[in-house]
Amino acid sequence: MKNLISVLDMKDNMLELIELAEKLKKERGHHGAPLKGKTLAMIFEKPSTRTRISFGVAISELGGDPLYIASNELQLGRGETVEDTAKVLSRFVHGIMYRAYDYKITDELEMYATVPVISGLDNLEHPCQALADMMTVKEKKGGFRGKKFVYLGDGNNVCNSLMYACAIAGMDMVVACPAVRMPNAEIMLKASRIADANGCRISASVEPMEACKDADVLYTDTWISMGDQTLAKEDALRIFKKYQVNSDLLAVAKEDCIVMHCLPAHRGEEITADVIDGPQSVVFDQAENRLHAQKAVLYKLLG
Ligand code: CP
Ligand code: NVA
């Protein structure tokens, strides 16, 4: 594993990364400084709370230095190529974390950088989120086999990464989305093949009530992702309405079902306040796990 652009990059390492993240979580405050002298450039084209802060704290707690950069303040914003930027940054820093509108930028960075490149989300995937999410499922449910993970709402970047992650973990996943907002077909096919080989199943449904029956995990994300101009707000509210994670859907899931959301959340849209703020919600433990999971990634790639 050299980079983390897609969950596929950690196909053979995901479970080991989760174990390392669990260990780092227990040992927080006692890491020593395994990444002393290492600098992580963190470049953002879009806003971020969790990714920005958790990566910054993660590299600092491992003894390294975070370098936060807004992409429009780089010469990249004035037309310097991604190739040149990747080559130059590789002479200065030990790793690059990049949040992009377009996955092609992350791909190109990976191609030309000689240091590890980590995606902090693009329009296709959000691999660090998926890693923290799998860590959270394991922490709350004790494992993956035989568990039913249901994703509701928009078939977006987070959903794409979760399909790969569930397939690799060996957990059944049902993607419950409107037919016009199903996830990326190629990613779904690839994830299904991995799942088949790993004794689990990735399936799709347009019937949320049916999908949520006996679920161990209900997961949702915003109905309109950053930079997504394919859907007007009023259309989104209409199309996704029946996929809202609310007490009716939660009632058909298992009694001990947990509720997850990568955040930021829009109460009253993809999830109701009583559910996200209720006893089955684990969203803040899930957010915290971004820190531990990313420490594991940094340790593995920069250590
Ligand atoms: N979940 C997540 O990536 O949050 P941010 O956009 O705040 O980084
Ligand atoms: N799907 C969301 C995730 C935000 C963390 C987006 O891309 O905006």
Side-chain angles (χ1 to χ4, degrees):
M1 181 178 164
K2 291 206 173 72
N3 302 290
L4 182 55
I5 302 298
S6 162
V7 172
L8 288 184
D9 292 327
M10 55 175 170
K11 186 164 178 278
D12 301 324
N13 305 91
M14 193 181 83
L15 299 178
E16 167 206 334
L17 283 169
I18 292 172
E19 277 172 26
L20 179 56
E22 289 162 350
K23 180 169 172 279
L24 291 165
K25 184 170 184 172
K26 275 198 208 105
E27 291 172 358
R28 189 170 181 198
H30 306 279
H31 298 320
L35 299 188
K36 191 170 166 32
K38 309 257 172 161
T39 300
L40 177 72
M42 310 189 303
I43 309 173
F44 288 84
E45 290 180 8
K46 321 190 214 192
S48 168
T49 297
R50 280 142 290 270
T51 306
R52 175 176 173 171
I53 313 293
S54 58
F55 262 110
V57 172
I59 184 88
S60 298
E61 289 189 2
L62 292 173
D65 296 300
L67 186 61
Y68 173 77
I69 310 155
S71 66
N72 62 359
E73 290 167 6
L74 293 174
Q75 297 288 10
L76 198 55
R78 293 182 56 248
E80 186 169 19
T81 63
V82 176
E83 176 176 348
D84 288 357
T85 306
K87 287 177 178 170
V88 170
L89 285 178
S90 299
R91 302 289 178 108
F92 297 140
V93 301
H94 304 88
I96 303 169
M97 189 249 94
Y98 199 98
R99 170 167 283 195
Y101 279 103
D102 190 339
Y103 75 93
K104 292 189 195 94
I105 303 266
T106 341
D107 275 358
E108 213 178 330
L109 264 181
E110 177 186 29
M111 199 184 305
Y112 295 109
T114 53
V115 297
V117 178
I118 301 166
S119 168
L121 174 151
D122 58 32
N123 58 331
L124 271 192
E125 282 202 57
H126 197 358
C128 294
Q129 181 69 53
L131 180 63
D133 294 344
M134 291 302 113
M135 176 186 181
T136 309
V137 171
K138 188 177 166 198
E139 189 174 275
K140 303 290 177 189
K141 293 278 142 205
F144 306 109
R145 294 273 165 203
K147 304 288 178 216
K148 180 178 177 186
F149 185 107
V150 182
Y151 177 94
L152 295 124
D154 189 23
N156 60 17
N157 45 6
V158 168
C159 179
N160 289 339
S161 282
L162 286 170
M163 289 193 295
Y164 281 145
C166 285
I168 293 167
M171 178 162 54
D172 293 327
M173 177 175 179
V174 184
V175 174
C177 300
V180 290
R181 300 295 290 190
M182 278 290 164
N184 181 289
E186 196 184 319
I187 293 181
M188 194 163 195
L189 184 67
K190 278 198 218 162
S192 300
R193 286 194 183 131
I194 296 169
D196 284 347
N198 198 17
C200 62
R201 192 158 179 256
I202 309 291
S203 56
S205 168
V206 291
E207 291 305 332
M209 202 50 100
E210 182 62 33
C212 289
K213 265 189 202 144
D214 299 322
D216 295 282
V217 182
L218 297 190
Y219 193 117
T220 191
D221 182 17
T222 181
W223 288 341
I224 302 183
S225 286
M226 291 179 280
D228 181 1
Q229 289 168 346
T230 59
L231 205 56
K233 174 100 184 210
E234 57 273 23
D235 293 331
L237 294 179
R238 185 173 42 81
I239 293 172
F240 292 120
K241 191 167 179 268
K242 75 170 180 177
Y243 300 86
Q244 180 189 63
V245 175
N246 55 32
S247 51
D248 291 342
L249 283 188
L250 195 53
V252 301
K254 283 200 187 131
E255 213 174 326
D256 62 352
C257 175
I258 56 169
V259 174
M260 300 179 72
H261 190 308
C262 63
L263 305 179
H266 309 82
R267 288 171 175 75
E269 293 181 19
E270 73 272 8
I271 192 160
T272 54
D274 62 318
V275 170
I276 195 168
D277 300 319
Q280 284 166 272
S281 169
V282 300
V283 298
F284 297 111
D285 292 328
Q286 179 186 358
E288 181 193 322
N289 283 340
R290 293 290 304 276
L291 172 70
H292 311 299
Q294 286 156 199
K295 271 186 191 166
V297 171
L298 291 171
Y299 190 90
K300 175 100 184 149
L301 294 180
L302 272 60

